């Protein structure tokens, strides 16, 4: 090792690392949102292990959750372990929702992730946090929309997280639904439809699936 390694320099290293990670996250969110709005975000869809991806998203939030005194849990139904989607987008969806859950849940609370098979894959991230007032709920999910109160302003954020979740789900032909009760908690349900896949392994969006043509 070079230089001092006392608790103070360890604390500085940690702060520098966190600031860098935070900036990178910010830049990536702004870039992704710009790409989506310009219609230039291309999904890279493939079969992947949803459970492993969800585990890695949960690991990413493990330390912030511990610091916030919030418990994280994950449960992936056997039928939902394999998904066909853009793995990076799904991981981003999970990280955005988990980080909101951790950020807006007081100590002693819980953030729970479940993945199940409905008409496609259904991912739910539910927390026991502050919740969102009905009047604010409709507004959220558009870029840069945040709830205006002192508590939220005290927590850093850009208001891009939910907008990205919605857009990324939408690009898959799916949706993200936000439900919340003030003082009780928030639940976000992300539905990614089953996709037809062609011989090259590319996803066919429902609208692009052509009917059989009669050949005479
Ligand atoms: N799980 C949640 N519990 C309570 N409020 C939430 C939750 N998720 C999002 N919000 C509210 O929605 C706003 C927008 O969320 P988001 O788009 O992720 O932006 P950011 O986290 O950067 O503020 C947040 O500022 C917060 O007011
Ligand atoms: Mg957020």
């Amino acid at each position: 090792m070079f230089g001092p390694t006392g608790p103070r320099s360890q604390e500085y290293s940690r702060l520098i690392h966190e600031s860098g990670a935070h900036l990178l996250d910010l830049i990536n969110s702004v870039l992704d949102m710009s790409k989506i709005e310009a219609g230039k975000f291309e999904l890279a869809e493939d079969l992947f292990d949803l459970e492993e991806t969800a585990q890695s998203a949960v690991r990413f939030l493990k330390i912030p959750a511990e610091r916030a005194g919030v418990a994280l849990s994950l449960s992936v139904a056997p039928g939902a372990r394999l998904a066909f989607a853009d793995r990076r987008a799904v991981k981003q969806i999970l990280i955005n929702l988990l980080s909101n859950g951790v950020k807006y849940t007081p100590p002693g609370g819980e953030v729970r992730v479940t993945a199940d098979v409905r008409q496609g894959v259904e991912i739910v991230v539910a927390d026991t946090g502050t919740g969102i007032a009905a009047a604010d709920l409709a507004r959220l999910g558009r870029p840069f929309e945040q709830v205006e109160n002192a508590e939220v302003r005290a927590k850093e954020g850009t208001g891009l997280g939910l907008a990205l979740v919605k857009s990324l789900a939408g690009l898959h032909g799916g949706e993200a639904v936000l439900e919340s009760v003030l003082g009780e908690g928030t639940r976000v349900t992300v539905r990614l439809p089953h996709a037809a896949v062609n011989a090259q392994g590319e996803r066919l969006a429902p609208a692009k699936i052509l009917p059989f043509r009669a050949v005479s």
Side-chain angles (χ1 to χ4, degrees):
M1 272 309 270
F2 306 100
T5 54
R8 204 177 170 106
S9 59
Q10 275 177 21
E11 173 73 4
Y12 284 147
S13 309
R14 191 176 64 76
L15 276 173
I16 292 167
H17 174 78
E18 275 177 8
S19 308
H22 178 65
L23 266 180
L24 188 61
D25 182 56
L26 209 69
I27 292 168
N28 280 331
S29 297
V30 173
L31 279 176
D32 281 349
M33 202 67 238
S34 310
K35 257 192 203 162
I36 289 169
E37 292 195 327
K40 294 279 195 246
F41 191 101
E42 300 253 343
L43 291 180
E45 291 172 295
D46 214 338
L47 269 180
F48 70 96
D49 186 334
L50 177 60
E51 187 167 45
E52 191 185 274
T53 300
Q55 278 167 352
S56 101
V58 168
R59 266 198 306 277
F60 192 74
L61 267 300
K62 191 173 177 272
I63 290 171
E66 274 170 14
R67 264 194 227 137
V70 173
L72 296 181
S73 73
L74 170 67
S75 156
V76 178
R81 287 200 184 136
L82 210 56
F84 188 83
D86 183 320
R87 190 185 55 79
R88 191 183 146 260
V90 171
K91 189 168 173 189
Q92 194 61 56
I93 287 173
L94 284 162
I95 286 177
N96 290 2
L97 295 179
L98 275 161
S99 66
N100 282 350
V102 169
K103 200 156 47 155
Y104 300 109
T105 300
E110 189 189 354
V111 182
R112 190 186 286 268
V113 183
T114 54
D116 228 316
V117 188
R118 301 270 181 250
Q119 279 165 327
V121 177
E122 189 175 277
I123 299 168
V124 177
V125 180
D127 65 57
T128 59
T130 56
I132 302 164
D136 292 316
L137 211 52
R139 219 165 31 80
L140 296 178
R142 290 200 295 264
F144 306 113
E145 291 285 359
Q146 290 177 296
V147 174
E148 267 305 317
N149 62 39
E151 201 184 327
V152 168
R153 241 175 283 130
K155 317 213 175 211
E156 56 185 30
T158 51
L160 282 175
L162 285 177
L164 279 172
V165 168
K166 272 199 146 172
S167 302
L168 292 172
L171 283 174
H172 283 87
E175 60 171 359
V177 179
L178 185 61
E179 296 165 280
S180 191
V181 178
L182 199 60
E184 287 187 17
T186 301
R187 171 213 295 268
V188 184
T189 305
V190 176
R191 298 194 180 95
L192 304 175
H194 280 308
V197 180
N198 70 14
Q200 284 76 48
E202 292 161 344
R203 176 182 199 276
L204 301 174
K208 283 194 223 150
I209 300 174
L210 299 170
F212 285 116
R213 250 180 320 130
V215 180
S216 54

